[in-house]
Amino acid sequence: SSWAAALERPQPMQDTQGQQPVNFHRRVLPPSGIAFASTRGREVFAEALANGTLHCFFKLIEQFCTQAEPAYCGLGTLVMVLNALDIDPGRTWKGPWRWFHEGMLDCCEPLEDIRRRDITFDKLACLARCNGAVVDARRANASGSSGVVGGSEGGDGEGSPSLSDEERAFREAVRSVCSGDNAACCGGSSGRGHRFLVVSYSRREFGQTGDGHFSPVGGYHAGSDSVLLLDVARFKYPPHWVGLRALWRALCRTDPDTGKTRGYLLLSARKPGESRSDVLRVALRGPAGGGG
């Protein structure tokens, strides 16, 4: 609903000599983000690790992948999380191996449609439920955005009186997932008992190219009030830290394809014996609709 749509608009496709198609090798990360492997990015990571707010990072990094198509950010993110949750897909990938890959995720939307125009927020939640996850899908409330554009992210965090109830709930979800408060098996090798956070946001808030995108959240750094986005579009941007307040504003931006705000998903594995009908009890919160 974003990257793919941009590709379909008329684009200059030749160089100044009119010979070769235009192509790219990555993009420069704007100053709004701190690259994961940069000196500052490593310092932030070390501090977050010492503070115990990288609990979700390790299971996710075991499954970190590059999305298979330019519009597959939602599918790439979901595959990464489903495998991190140690969910058995019940069908084979290749040879005898049962393992999630993007080609399996076609039960809620045809893959060809996703390849052409990405996937909406609601359809991604549907795919997660169909493939064994418990989903708490929360729509961002645009009226809950601070309205501040730019400026420092640090020092204006959870204690700020300008935060809405919706933004506070989002911050609590980040804190819970990144600190492992929800994990029943902390320190274990299985992903079951863990919970992961996927954000649907607009890249434009960060001055990045494109618009709607999905990413898993890999950690939180209290000192800078920032989160680590494990961006599956690795051909474009590296994993990077962004301010949490700016991320909330990016969630509150409207998806032009649906006219609705974006949001976030809290994903966990079904408990043993829990059926798909049990999972469907979880209601989609906030205004209904999409945002890819």
Side-chain angles (χ1 to χ4, degrees):
S1 61
S2 54
W3 216 92
L7 287 178
E8 292 177 358
R9 291 194 291 268
Q11 302 288 331
M13 290 304 296
Q14 292 186 321
D15 64 14
T16 55
Q17 282 71 44
Q19 299 297 320
Q20 298 298 323
V22 173
N23 52 69
F24 306 98
H25 180 249
R26 314 199 76 179
R27 292 288 196 182
V28 176
L29 185 68
S32 58
I34 301 172
F36 176 66
S38 68
T39 299
R40 179 55 183 153
R42 296 182 192 195
E43 292 171 351
V44 169
F45 181 85
E47 292 169 11
L49 183 61
N51 290 332
T53 52
L54 284 172
H55 178 82
C56 53
F57 173 81
F58 297 97
K59 293 302 299 181
L60 287 171
I61 206 65
E62 286 182 346
Q63 309 302 335
F64 198 12
C65 62
T66 300
Q67 61 191 71
E69 295 281 348
Y72 272 16
C73 59
L75 298 191
T77 292
L78 185 55
V79 161
M80 187 172 161
V81 171
L82 292 173
N83 285 327
L85 287 169
D86 200 27
I87 295 174
D88 186 342
R91 53 200 188 277
T92 57
W93 162 57
K94 292 183 180 181
W97 300 106
R98 298 195 304 274
W99 196 248
F100 280 106
H101 65 94
E102 290 146 312
M104 290 179 175
L105 304 181
D106 60 352
C107 57
C108 297
E109 186 85 351
L111 287 175
E112 183 59 25
D113 290 350
I114 299 173
R115 190 188 68 80
R116 286 188 290 106
R117 62 173 183 262
D118 208 341
I119 191 169
T120 64
F121 183 81
D122 289 348
K123 289 295 179 66
L124 192 71
C126 170
L127 278 175
R129 292 187 182 105
C130 285
N131 287 280
V134 178
V135 183
D136 186 353
R138 305 184 185 185
R139 183 75 59 186
N141 184 349
S143 65
S145 176
S146 68
V148 178
V149 178
S152 172
E153 295 300 327
D156 195 19
E158 195 165 354
S160 172
S162 66
L163 297 183
S164 66
D165 290 342
E166 292 85 356
E167 187 174 355
R168 289 182 190 279
F170 174 58
R171 297 181 66 89
E172 175 58 25
V174 170
R175 187 202 64 78
S176 175
V177 168
C178 294
S179 64
D181 288 356
N182 52 277
C185 57
C186 294
S189 60
S190 173
R192 290 188 172 273
H194 286 63
R195 187 167 56 156
F196 297 108
L197 174 63
V198 168
V199 287
S200 170
Y201 62 100
S202 172
R203 287 191 182 274
R204 294 182 179 179
E205 183 66 37
F206 305 110
Q208 299 175 2
T209 62
D211 191 3
H213 195 57
F214 290 97
S215 282
V217 169
Y220 173 71
H221 179 249
S224 60
D225 193 35
S226 60
V227 293
L228 177 60
L229 298 180
L230 296 175
D231 196 331
V232 294
R234 297 197 288 179
F235 50 84
K236 187 175 187 182
Y237 293 116
H240 52 279
W241 298 89
V242 297
L244 186 51
R245 296 213 72 182
L247 181 58
W248 173 252
R249 294 193 298 269
L251 267 62
C252 289
R253 284 186 177 239
T254 300
D255 177 359
D257 289 347
T258 64
K260 293 161 185 170
T261 58
R262 306 176 192 276
Y264 59 101
L265 307 170
L266 290 160
L267 304 177
S268 57
R270 293 181 204 162
K271 297 175 182 177
E274 189 175 28
S275 68
R276 181 171 177 268
S277 60
D278 294 327
V279 173
L280 291 175
R281 293 196 313 262
V282 180
L284 185 67
R285 302 181 184 179

